[in-house]
Amino acid sequence: MESVTSADGTAIAYERLGRGEPVILVPGALCDRNALKPLALALAGEFDLITYDRRGRGDSGDETPYAVEREVEDIAALLAAIGGRAAIYGHSSGAGLAAVAASSGLPFSKVVLHEPPYGPDDVDSSEDGAQVLELLKEGRNQEAVERFLLMAGVPMSEAVELAAEPGIAELAPTLAYDFAVMDYGAPGGRLPVELLASITQPTLVLAGTASPPFMIDAGYRVVKQLRAAALIELADQNHVVPPEFLAPVLRSFLQGGVSRR
């Protein structure tokens, strides 16, 4: 593990695996740097993979007050530490953060947005989000995780089981950060049209055909706003894709082409 100091003094922990073109992997909600390590290992033969703990998670610090801009500064600090340029892959709300970072003008070579969970424009999920935030404020972290997972379409029995896993409750306060990321540029978690339109890098959008329909729809709406983008449907895959399936898709895109599956 290594660490870099972000602009506000926060220490951001990261690891590097492999050799080649650098690729920063941005995890989604309730995940630390270990969540994407299997994917990093699958790609380490061709790329230099950077997995990191977003602020408030794992071995990274967490200066207050929080702002989405601070997370962009964290990524900028990582870029500076690894040579100044990299591709970026974001999963779920991590894809939302990758989109914000790419729209800010950071020097990414390519961008991959894997199921950013933007909601439909005609659905307001703010009440559900407010319930999660209130549970967090009351210190009821496990219940907050359960409520969040139910929002994401996870069945009740599975949500209860996942929320009880070791270490998950400790990550629960960062759900507020993920809500802020997904609201950035479009309150209510709706599609941030202007933000996406400002992304100039070649971009790959991924959506699993077994994922909740709103995520597949979001993928198609996202790609329409991007200047240079393609969408690949991952056949029979849901929100979490095994690295042995996902790695070849990313490898093809990062090495210069897009092969549809």
Side-chain angles (χ1 to χ4, degrees):
M1 187 195 78
E2 302 177 64
S3 68
V4 65
T5 302
S6 193
D8 70 344
T10 301
I12 302 298
Y14 70 99
E15 295 184 47
R16 301 180 75 166
L17 293 167
R19 299 179 65 181
E21 177 188 0
V23 184
I24 296 174
L25 305 180
V26 187
L30 302 172
C31 294
D32 59 18
R33 69 181 187 273
N34 293 312
L36 294 177
K37 189 173 289 185
L39 178 60
L41 290 169
L43 291 167
E46 297 91 359
F47 304 98
D48 175 12
L49 286 303
I50 295 89
T51 62
Y52 78 105
D53 288 331
R54 290 171 56 187
R55 58 175 54 213
R57 312 178 192 206
D59 293 306
S60 288
D62 191 18
E63 296 293 330
T64 56
Y66 175 82
V68 176
E69 290 85 354
R70 302 293 83 76
E71 288 219 65
V72 174
E73 291 170 356
D74 298 344
I75 295 173
L78 287 171
L79 275 171
I82 62 175
R85 186 173 173 83
I88 188 167
Y89 163 90
H91 177 250
S92 195
S93 58
L97 179 55
V100 176
S103 73
S104 74
L106 289 177
F108 299 117
S109 56
K110 293 183 179 179
V111 177
V112 182
L113 306 178
H114 187 171
E115 293 201 354
Y118 297 117
D121 290 338
D122 59 351
V123 175
D124 186 355
S125 61
S126 58
E127 184 175 340
D128 288 331
Q131 291 177 8
V132 174
L133 294 175
E134 184 60 32
L135 289 168
L136 291 174
K137 189 181 299 183
E138 296 172 2
R140 297 158 65 183
N141 287 4
Q142 188 167 325
E143 293 176 66
V145 173
E146 290 175 11
R147 181 68 236 168
F148 169 75
L149 293 173
L150 290 172
M151 280 179 60
V154 177
M156 172 66 80
S157 59
E158 188 177 346
V160 171
E161 183 178 343
L162 289 171
E165 288 187 358
I168 294 296
E170 287 77 4
L171 291 169
T174 61
L175 286 172
Y177 302 173
D178 291 292
F179 286 147
V181 165
M182 297 312 301
D183 283 351
Y184 191 87
R190 296 175 174 85
L191 199 73
V193 173
E194 292 184 9
L195 184 151
L196 293 168
S198 67
I199 297 174
T200 59
Q201 297 92 341
T203 304
L204 177 64
V205 180
L206 299 174
T209 62
S211 286
F214 87 91
M215 288 200 176
I216 301 171
D217 177 64
Y220 278 97
R221 291 187 296 130
V222 166
V223 79
K224 286 181 180 179
Q225 305 303 325
L226 297 167
R227 299 189 190 184
L231 184 141
I232 292 181
E233 291 189 5
L234 303 174
D236 302 319
Q237 300 300 310
N238 56 31
H239 194 52
V240 179
V241 179
E244 62 271 18
F245 189 100
L246 181 57
V249 178
L250 296 183
R251 185 180 296 115
S252 177
F253 173 69
L254 294 172
Q255 290 178 338
V258 175
S259 59
R260 299 187 176 275
R261 301 190 62 152

